[in-house]
Amino acid sequence: MPFPPRDAAANSTLGFEKLVAVSVDPSWRTRGLHAAAKLTGLDITIPPQPQVSDEFVRAFQNLGAAEGQRTPQPGSARAWLAHLDLLKYVITSQVETALIVEDDVDWDVRLRDQMRLISDNVRNYTHTHEEDTTPFGLDWDVLWLGHCGSVTEDSMPHPLVYADDTRCEAELYSGWSKYFLQDKVPAGHRQVQASFVTVCTFAYGVTKASAQKLLALLSKGGDEAFDVSLSAYCRDGSLHCLVINPQVFNHYEPPAQHGYTSEVHAGDGLGRSAEEPDFEKVKGATGNIVESARCSALFNETCMRPPSDM
């Protein structure tokens, strides 16, 4: 007998057929990812990524430039191409659903309980028939579980609000969408909503059919970053995107005072990062995750980033 949908959503791949991470090389990111996964019983696959030449990156950067479209900086272009390659992996794997995460991602140690609630409420939001036992139904192209902010507007289709006492309090939230949470989402609750403006692709679900759609649309380039382009296709209706707000995945950052600069920012010419061994034994922080799985696994501590508007 199959598991009830909400219990399947709390399995080792969080209700998706595959849980895969975007990562180019082994590093403190992947070692922390594996430690957090082991602690919380998750099975994360890190497919090998192909080498990408500088010439290929420049060619991708130039897509749409002649038409006056925005174009990505080198680091953002490389990250974009890595997401496209992982979408190809999902497609060739012939899986029905996949959750794609970035390799510096973090989550709460209570993630399985959070995913049971997400299953209940996404299925309710999409009116999934009870005979459909998939954990989240399939009436979506993108199920955005990890991000760094999402707009909530009164004009949007009515969100489905649900209680979740594991979420970060609005006054402790880090990110530009903090005031949407304070004004629109009741304390102690999350909501399932349509994506109007959502930023950062820390964790997003796709289906067998939607992965093909994403690849066709996002391989056109012509925007400043992968997440910005994805958000635009969600907003204009090219993709049917649902968001969990506030997020249940966020990225972990080593301390800036120890010389940390993200790979994307470094690739974009916004500084150089210190060597990665400097980050192995120094506790960083994760925004909006109350009980970090990474910090629990690595340091036996919590490490929620102090609140901010950025």
Side-chain angles (χ1 to χ4, degrees):
M1 179 178 293
F3 287 112
R6 69 187 324 267
D7 290 341
N11 68 13
S12 64
T13 54
L14 301 176
F16 297 85
E17 196 167 337
K18 266 189 178 290
L19 171 52
V20 295
V22 184
S23 187
V24 177
D25 295 303
S27 68
W28 64 264
R29 294 173 177 81
T30 55
R31 288 187 283 276
L33 182 71
H34 286 308
K38 182 178 180 180
L39 177 71
T40 52
L42 300 188
D43 180 11
I44 300 179
T45 301
I46 304 180
Q49 286 266 339
Q51 293 294 317
V52 178
S53 68
D54 292 341
E55 291 79 7
F56 190 85
V57 172
R58 284 195 291 271
F60 185 79
Q61 283 182 268
N62 288 330
L63 292 177
E67 291 78 35
Q69 296 174 344
R70 292 177 295 179
T71 56
Q73 294 297 312
S76 297
R78 282 189 181 276
W80 192 327
L81 290 167
H83 277 275
L84 295 182
D85 283 329
L86 204 49
L87 285 169
K88 294 173 189 174
Y89 170 83
V90 168
I91 292 165
T92 57
S93 297
Q94 291 292 298
V95 293
E96 294 300 323
T97 60
L99 180 63
I100 297 171
V101 302
E102 297 181 348
D103 64 357
D104 60 352
V105 79
D106 197 3
W107 55 89
D108 198 288
V109 295
R110 299 163 292 180
L111 179 63
R112 289 171 181 262
D113 292 333
Q114 295 171 344
M115 294 302 296
R116 288 186 179 96
L117 293 173
I118 290 170
S119 170
D120 292 341
N121 289 283
V122 168
R123 286 173 58 87
N124 287 341
Y125 185 88
T126 57
H127 305 291
T128 302
H129 196 279
E130 63 180 15
E131 291 181 0
D132 179 350
T133 60
T134 54
F136 314 102
L138 294 171
D139 188 17
W140 45 268
D141 292 320
V142 176
L143 181 55
W144 218 317
L145 303 179
H147 52 84
C148 52
S150 190
V151 168
T152 299
E153 295 282 6
D154 291 336
S155 60
M156 293 169 57
H158 193 65
L160 195 161
V161 178
Y162 64 93
D164 183 351
D165 60 9
T166 69
R167 62 153 277 193
C168 167
E169 297 175 22
E171 58 267 26
L172 301 179
Y173 190 83
S174 297
W176 58 271
S177 64
K178 177 175 185 172
Y179 299 102
F180 290 103
L181 291 182
Q182 289 178 332
D183 295 343
K184 307 291 185 184
V185 185
H189 291 72
R190 298 186 198 268
Q191 64 186 32
V192 184
Q193 64 178 65
S195 176
F196 180 65
V197 176
T198 308
V199 183
C200 302
T201 45
F202 300 142
Y204 59 102
V206 297
T207 69
K208 183 186 233 181
S210 71
Q212 294 277 11
K213 283 186 185 179
L214 266 70
L215 186 61
L217 291 168
L218 290 155
S219 61
K220 297 175 183 178
D223 212 328
E224 62 187 85
F226 177 83
D227 62 318
V228 176
S229 184
L230 176 58
S231 185
Y233 286 122
C234 292
R235 185 169 60 252
D236 72 14
S238 299
L239 295 169
H240 180 205
C241 306
L242 302 183
V243 179
I244 303 304
N245 196 19
Q247 65 270 53
V248 295
F249 290 87
N250 210 75
H251 74 146
Y252 169 89
E253 297 177 282
Q257 62 266 33
H258 284 262
Y260 171 69
T261 300
S262 75
E263 286 186 325
V264 172
H265 284 169
D268 289 349
L270 301 177
R272 293 182 60 83
S273 193
E275 293 299 315
E276 73 156 69
D278 297 341
F279 307 133
E280 293 286 349
K281 297 181 180 179
V282 180
K283 186 177 75 168
T286 303
N288 312 319
I289 303 299
V290 178
E291 296 185 18
S292 158
R294 279 192 186 242
C295 287
S296 183
L298 297 173
F299 307 105
N300 197 29
E301 295 180 29
T302 60
C303 60
M304 193 165 78
R305 178 182 164 188
S308 70
D309 296 340
M310 296 295 292

